Amino acid sequence: MLSYARAHADRREGHSLTALLQDVLVLVEKDLQVHRIALDLQILAEPYALVNAGQVQQVLLNLIVNARQAMAAGGVLTIGVRANVDAGLAEISVQDTGCGIPAEKLRQIFEPYFTTKTPDEHGQGGTGLGLALARDVMESHGGRIRVESVPGVGTTFTLKFPLVAAPTTTRPLQRVG
């Protein structure tokens, strides 16, 4: 199985980023409800990008789980999808109303093993690998990950992918006669 996974790790196909996001939301919907997180979806387009679907879904899952954890007392998770045609970019933003990240830590969050999470009552905190992996995945896709945060207000991560045309479905020509 590992060799199969490695063989397909660099495989990229044109995918709807909206569809990839919706698949991830199916996985986290109940968890968000349990933790009193309201979901505000702002799907402004259905942009396509040349991506490894599993890797992008892992990045989205990580950002959504991080956002949920930042809103310990509940809050609003706003996820937006849009196409910035002028810039040639497909964008997904994940915004929370959580605790935010202090400016002095913001510069380090993409470094491996750096975490802002403190261990919980079970001794579990962050590994510091999720955002480092997210940055690597985005860079390998020719994209970028950006973050904006205000302590006490919340954090927004934006994923930017090179935009590609939506695939068209064509039927093979049929001979008549």
Side-chain angles (χ1 to χ4, degrees):
M1 276 184 17
L2 288 174
S3 63
Y4 177 79
R6 281 189 204 105
H8 294 87
D10 291 332
R11 193 164 135 195
R12 301 205 184 348
E13 296 175 351
H15 284 280
S16 161
L17 295 179
T18 303
L20 293 179
L21 170 63
Q22 289 171 334
D23 288 346
V24 171
L25 291 176
V26 167
L27 296 173
V28 298
E29 189 174 27
K30 293 276 190 230
D31 186 52
L32 294 175
Q33 290 172 357
V34 166
H35 288 90
R36 300 176 321 280
I37 307 295
L39 180 61
D40 178 15
L41 278 179
Q42 299 180 359
I43 311 258
L44 304 178
E46 188 171 358
Y48 280 73
L50 198 60
V51 298
N52 177 303
Q55 290 177 349
V56 171
Q57 288 174 324
Q58 185 63 48
V59 169
L60 288 169
L61 183 62
N62 183 59
L63 292 177
I64 292 168
V65 169
N66 285 354
R68 195 260 305 149
Q69 291 172 342
M71 297 183 282
V76 178
L77 175 63
T78 303
I79 302 177
V81 180
R82 70 185 203 106
N84 184 342
V85 179
D86 293 337
L89 297 172
E91 301 178 1
I92 301 176
S93 61
V94 178
Q95 178 181 19
D96 66 57
T97 56
C99 57
I101 304 167
E104 64 275 7
K105 292 184 178 180
L106 209 51
R107 290 180 265 265
Q108 299 172 287
I109 62 170
F110 295 108
E111 293 178 16
Y113 306 110
F114 180 82
T115 183
T116 60
K117 297 175 186 173
T118 55
D120 62 14
E121 65 274 7
H122 306 292
Q124 295 181 344
T127 62
L129 294 175
L131 291 176
L133 176 66
R135 181 195 59 203
D136 290 348
V137 166
M138 291 306 298
E139 288 176 358
S140 77
H141 282 79
R144 299 185 306 267
I145 182 170
R146 298 288 180 250
V147 61
E148 297 175 35
S149 189
V150 177
V153 176
T155 302
T156 302
F157 283 90
T158 305
L159 306 175
K160 299 183 179 200
F161 300 87
L163 188 61
V164 299
T168 57
T169 344
T170 58
R171 294 185 197 179
L173 295 175
Q174 294 180 355
R175 285 190 124 160
V176 178

